[in-house]
C-alpha cells in the first residue's frame, strides 16, 4: 500500500477516535468514508476470489480451495476493518481470520468451519503429497461454506449501514 494512506497509521477506528477532539466533523466524516471505501474494496477482492474459484474445474481442487479461502479471508478482513478498525497486511493476520464480532450471525459455526477451511487451504498450498481426499471440507463443501459466508457478510455489513 502506498503512503500516505489511512491504513498505514494503524487502527483507523482508533485514529478517528483520537482525532475526534481535534478535527471537525467534516474531517471525521472523511476518515469514516475512507474506512467504508476500504471495506468495500476488501469485499470486492473477496468476490473476485470467489468468482475465480467457482469457475475452476474440479481437477483444480488445490487452486479452488485456496481461492475460496482467500475469498473468505478478505471478507473477514472487511468485517474486522469496518467494525473494530482491525487491519493488517502482515502474514500473522491469517491467525485472526476467524475473529468475527460477537454479533455476527452464526458466529461460532463460522469460526469452526473457517478454521477447517484454513487447514484445508494449508493442505492444498503446502502438502505436495496430498490429494483432494485429504481435505476435511473438500471443494464442494468449501464452495458452499464460502458462498454462505459471503452472503452473511454482505447482509451483516448492510445492517451496519454500508451501502453495497
Amino acid at each position: 500500500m502506498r503512503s500516505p494512506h489511512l491504513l498505514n497509521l494503524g487502527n483507523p477506528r482508533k485514529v478517528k477516535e483520537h482525532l475526534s477532539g481535534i478535527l471537525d466533523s467534516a474531517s471525521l466524516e472523511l476518515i469514516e468514508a475512507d474506512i467504508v471505501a476500504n471495506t468495500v474494496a476488501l469485499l470486492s477482492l473477496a468476490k473476485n476470489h470467489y468468482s475465480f474459484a467457482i469457475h475452476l474445474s474440479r481437477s483444480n481442487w488445490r487452486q479452488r480451495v485456496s481461492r475460496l479461502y482467500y475469498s473468505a479471508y478478505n471478507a473477514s478482513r472487511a468485517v474486522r476493518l469496518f467494525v473494530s478498525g482491525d487491519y493488517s497486511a502482515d502474514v500473522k493476520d491469517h491467525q485472526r481470520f476467524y475473529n468475527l464480532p460477537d454479533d455476527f450471525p452464526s458466529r461460532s459455526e463460522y469460526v469452526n468451519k473457517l478454521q477447517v477451511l484454513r487447514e484445508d487451504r494449508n493442505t492444498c498450498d503446502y502438502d505436495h503429497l496430498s490429494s483432494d481426499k485429504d481435505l476435511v471440507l473438500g471443494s464442494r463443501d468449501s464452495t458452499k461454506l464460502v458462498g454462505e459466508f459471503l452472503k452473511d457478510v454482505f447482509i451483516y455489513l448492510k445492517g451496519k449501514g454500508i451501502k453495497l
Side-chain angles (χ1 to χ4, degrees):
M1 184 176 322
R2 284 187 245 147
S3 278
H5 197 283
L6 177 66
L7 296 179
N8 288 335
L9 296 175
N11 185 315
R13 291 273 175 229
K14 289 181 181 175
V15 169
K16 183 180 170 188
E17 178 185 331
H18 290 298
L19 294 176
S20 65
I22 300 168
L23 298 177
D24 61 14
S25 61
S27 297
L28 294 172
E29 287 174 19
L30 287 173
I31 293 173
E32 185 63 27
D34 198 55
I35 293 169
V36 170
N38 281 283
T39 299
V40 171
L42 284 167
L43 290 173
S44 177
L45 182 57
K47 288 192 314 189
N48 286 342
H49 282 298
Y50 184 77
S51 178
F52 183 82
I54 64 172
H55 289 97
L56 291 169
S57 71
R58 292 195 189 273
S59 64
N60 290 319
W61 59 271
R62 287 182 187 272
Q63 292 78 11
R64 185 181 187 116
V65 170
S66 184
R67 291 303 97 196
L68 288 168
Y69 166 81
Y70 280 104
S71 174
Y73 171 67
N74 280 292
S76 166
R77 290 174 79 202
V79 169
R80 291 181 287 126
L81 171 62
F82 185 75
V83 172
S84 65
D86 179 26
Y87 176 83
S88 176
D90 189 272
V91 68
K92 292 179 183 176
D93 188 60
H94 288 268
Q95 296 169 353
R96 294 190 297 268
F97 170 40
Y98 6 84
N99 289 352
L100 299 169
D102 290 339
D103 66 340
F104 193 84
S106 304
R107 182 189 182 279
S108 60
E109 181 180 335
Y110 277 124
V111 167
N112 292 330
K113 288 183 179 179
L114 293 174
Q115 287 174 335
V116 174
L117 177 63
R118 183 174 181 219
E119 291 168 14
D120 277 358
R121 191 276 306 194
N122 286 342
T123 298
C124 291
D125 287 356
Y126 303 117
D127 185 349
H128 66 286
L129 298 176
S130 65
S131 74
D132 59 340
K133 293 172 182 57
D134 295 318
L135 301 177
V136 177
L137 289 175
S139 177
R140 180 175 292 142
D141 288 344
S142 293
T143 302
K144 181 179 178 196
L145 167 66
V146 175
E148 291 170 356
F149 182 62
L150 289 176
K151 179 181 163 194
D152 284 344
V153 165
F154 276 79
I155 292 168
Y156 178 79
L157 289 173
K158 282 181 182 178
K160 297 285 184 187
I162 292 187
K163 293 180 175 136
L164 300 169

